[in-house]
Amino acid sequence: MQTCVEACHACADACDRCAAACLREEDPKMMAACIAGDIDCAALCRTVAGFLARGSALASSLCGLCADVCEACADECGKHAMQHCQDCAAACRRCAVECRRMASGAGVIQPGRASHTAAH
């Protein structure tokens, strides 16, 4: 589980760096899809890291979604030659692998179904 948490944090940081660097490009409008993907990916990775760290029963489900978002971000960043995009794509791919592992139940948490109760 700790490996996945670390991969999520590293991915979120790489996405933040990539988005910031894309905004400094000569024509940031051309990088709109990359920037948007970076922002979404960073936000979800940080959320998933928190769920994992707390041992939430929902972490496994979120890991599957996070892997999908990371793969989409990696695909978009991978289209661009800039080093920050390539670094981000690599971090996203690593995170996707770790999140898929957690989603498949190979990680420490074996959540099963969370019971849903009425809000307090």
Side-chain angles (χ1 to χ4, degrees):
M1 177 181 63
Q2 187 60 33
T3 304
C4 190
V5 170
E6 290 168 3
C8 284
H9 283 301
C11 184
D13 292 347
C15 286
D16 285 343
R17 284 189 298 274
C18 185
C22 285
L23 287 169
R24 291 188 297 269
E25 292 292 333
E26 193 169 310
D27 187 4
K29 277 187 164 186
M30 288 181 48
M31 302 305 292
C34 188
I35 295 165
D38 288 338
I39 292 168
D40 289 347
C41 191
L44 185 54
C45 284
R46 287 194 174 95
T47 298
V48 169
F51 273 68
L52 286 166
R54 291 187 298 277
S56 172
L58 300 174
S60 161
S61 296
L62 282 176
C63 281
L65 175 62
C66 190
D68 292 343
V69 171
C70 285
E71 288 168 357
C73 190
D75 289 346
E76 180 59 36
C77 285
K79 294 177 185 176
H80 308 288
M82 292 83 81
Q83 190 60 50
H84 58 84
C85 285
Q86 293 300 309
D87 292 345
C88 184
C92 287
R93 287 185 191 103
R94 281 190 301 274
C95 189
V97 167
E98 290 301 323
C99 282
R100 288 262 180 249
R101 187 176 61 81
M102 290 301 296
S104 73
V108 174
I109 297 174
Q110 279 293 345
R113 292 278 177 207
S115 61
H116 298 283
T117 58
H120 299 136

